[in-house]
Amino acid sequence: MMDTNESFKLSGTLKKILFFNEENHYYIAVLENDQKICGQYFDTDLHKLVGEEVIITGAWNSHKKYGVQFVFTSMELKEAEIFFFLTKIVKGITKNLAHELTQKYTEDELCDILDNTPAKLLEFKGIKEKKLTQIVMSWNKFKHLRELGSFLAQFGVSSNLINKIYQEFGQVENLIEKIQENPYLLTSIKGIGFKRADEIGMKLGIDRFSNFRISACMNYTLKEFCEANGNSSISKSQLFTLLDDALNFKDQETLYEEAVISLLAKDEIHETIKEKYAPSIYFNCETKILDFFENRKVHNHNKKIIKDFDTYIKKKEDTLGFILSTEQQKAVELINEGENTILLIGYAGTGKSTSSKAILNLLEEIVPYDQIHCMALSGIASQRISDTTGYRSSTIQSALVKIDNTDKDYFDYKVILIDESSMVNSVTFYKVLSKIDPDSTLIIVGDDGQLPAIGAGDILRDAIKYNLAPICKLTKIYRQNELQAIATIANEIRKGQVPEFKETYEDFEFVDTSIPNYYAQKAILSDYEVNMLRNDNNYVILNNILNIASQYIEPMYKFIKDKEIASFLTLFQVITPIKGGTLGVENLNINLQKLINKTNSKGIQKKIYEYKLADKVIHIKNENMKSQSMKYYKAGNPDFVEKRVFNGQLGMIIKVDHEKSKLIVLYPNDDMVVFYDFETLDNLISLAYCLTIHKTQGMEYETALIPMSFSHFIMHNTKLLYTAITRAKNMCYIVGEEEAMTSACKKLEITNRQTVIDDLLS
């Protein structure tokens, strides 16, 4: 591969996006002249600029596999800023109309017309009174953005990025002055890292070695590290190394130490133990969580519930229809003896739900039924714990929203059970615990064999490690017969053992697509030929996945026909560790959609996906949305309510309304019909025929299917595979290479997160 460092400028119309990596915003695209370009672009979704004329800066690159490419470092629209503003920000103005307006009027003239004499625009074809009203309302709402644009344009900030800044800070008064004072506040916007904000800061004249700049970088770097790695603290040496990279400094420990002192004084960071630091949000949450558990221990005044416990258990076993093991009885007995908080920990198949039901039944002896409440992070997990215990449940987020809308300090429950607690991060855990009445009983249920939470902290692990509450550990696996193997196989993998995964079972099947004589071929083939061999085999795996999925199409359609949408959503799920590639989420979703959804009605194409009627989708960002209940929607009621839709909720598209540019999704577990604008789809939903393992945490599906390829080797470990397999309730398929499976079973995940609680108690 040959590179040149000489910088060039190219201009042309963006024709097509060939590839997009959501994690690092890396794009491969082509211009109208079929010139291939590639690079990172954070300002907006580059798909929105297809068809626009752009100016790009970068260097030529010759790749032995991909040929000549232009690697860009920056990209700008060739059109005037006012043209972008009119077409992208102001609603009601098309590109053709914007061209007409900018050709007839200067920028100042056009702004004056929109401000003072908008009726002049009625002269233009396509603008009638209704359209003009929409244009003027939108112009008045967003015209302040142009002042921001004029200010930031001098620093090379694109119109796309200006729009994102305005959307984040649009309600902030004197925004330009605030950015002048502290350009690093822009780092709170996704896609604007310290480097981009620092470019503006440097042009504003901020001293490269100032405490202000270094403190801003330290604050940003510390938060980014914690969020990206799941840690809530970091060592000083690690932090200083990250600062060297971010600031391009060497031997500046003195300046770093001064920044630490400055941030400590402002309580923006905290020292957990000597030379270890945490962002204030995580420090405060985890120290308050510790206080919560300590206070529960001190004020444990619950009375014994049942005096003759043995007799009660025997009677209860007859009622429940199952016999409790010694481990399960211990969990119930802890509550009976007056414990106000317990940790019920169990691996897959060890009877956590059974034990939970028995505990809640016992507590119902002294607490009314409606004072007992279960919670989980996902809607599916919440529904499952309600189904298995018989008690009411909700998602954690909806419970928090409900109480936030009241003036009450605590939840209205005397008993609270938190299920799937391994996936609850520090901030969310604190929010829940802060709303629990000191006199209530708390049962925390979880599986520490699963992946830890998305976000910072590892509360369940720390609670177990430091005995923050009495622990009942369930270890015995229950299954009806020897041919049921999901739980057994999963638990052997959890321990780093290779199970008998090729045997015949009722609920588990390994579909072997190993490459014949792989190692013999690898010894004589070039790296390129080996990669091609693996890629060809990935298509074999893909075809097997589609073949298995085809068996579930008929029952899926039946569930839809019978309006059992929740069952449709959880009948069959493909789960994979990565987003890109042949066996990544994106390609699998596209292929599964083609196979499963034969709807002929017109969909809406956005980014890489087309969204069609009856598609299975997942909401991907916590957001307040316009919604109705299904009853109101069916009645044609025009009224909406603002409801929070949470990351991870599964739904089905029930209408694609091209006239109103709306996509309508039913979330059956929440009895919620949600209305999406076409232009916001990319940021809010995704197809969900295939999901990443992390996205499926807390979920359960009748059937789960997992591809197993050496192409995913970097992601393979026991915790990921254990989590994926345990998403399956009745049937689990693994399709792929035997050696990849064996390797994944041996690769123990032993990474321990750095946390505030661990620092303080270690």
Side-chain angles (χ1 to χ4, degrees), residues 115 120 139 162 168 181 233 237 246 256 290 304 325 367 390 398 433 455 516 525 569 573 582 672 681 698 702 713:
D115 279 332
K120 283 186 178 181
W139 167 262
I162 291 167
E168 179 75 17
E181 291 170 10
S233 70
S237 61
Y256 295 163
L290 275 179
K304 192 169 185 174
S325 69
V367 175
S398 61
L433 298 186
L525 296 175
L569 295 172
Q573 185 64 51
T582 306
M672 184 161 51
L681 290 180
E702 295 298 317
F713 181 76

Side-chain angles (χ1 to χ4, degrees), residues 11-12 52-55 76-81 83:
S11 67
E52 302 284 358
E53 196 167 357
V54 295
I55 300 172
E76 299 173 14
L77 278 167
K78 195 170 183 179
E79 291 283 2
E81 189 270 336
F83 178 85

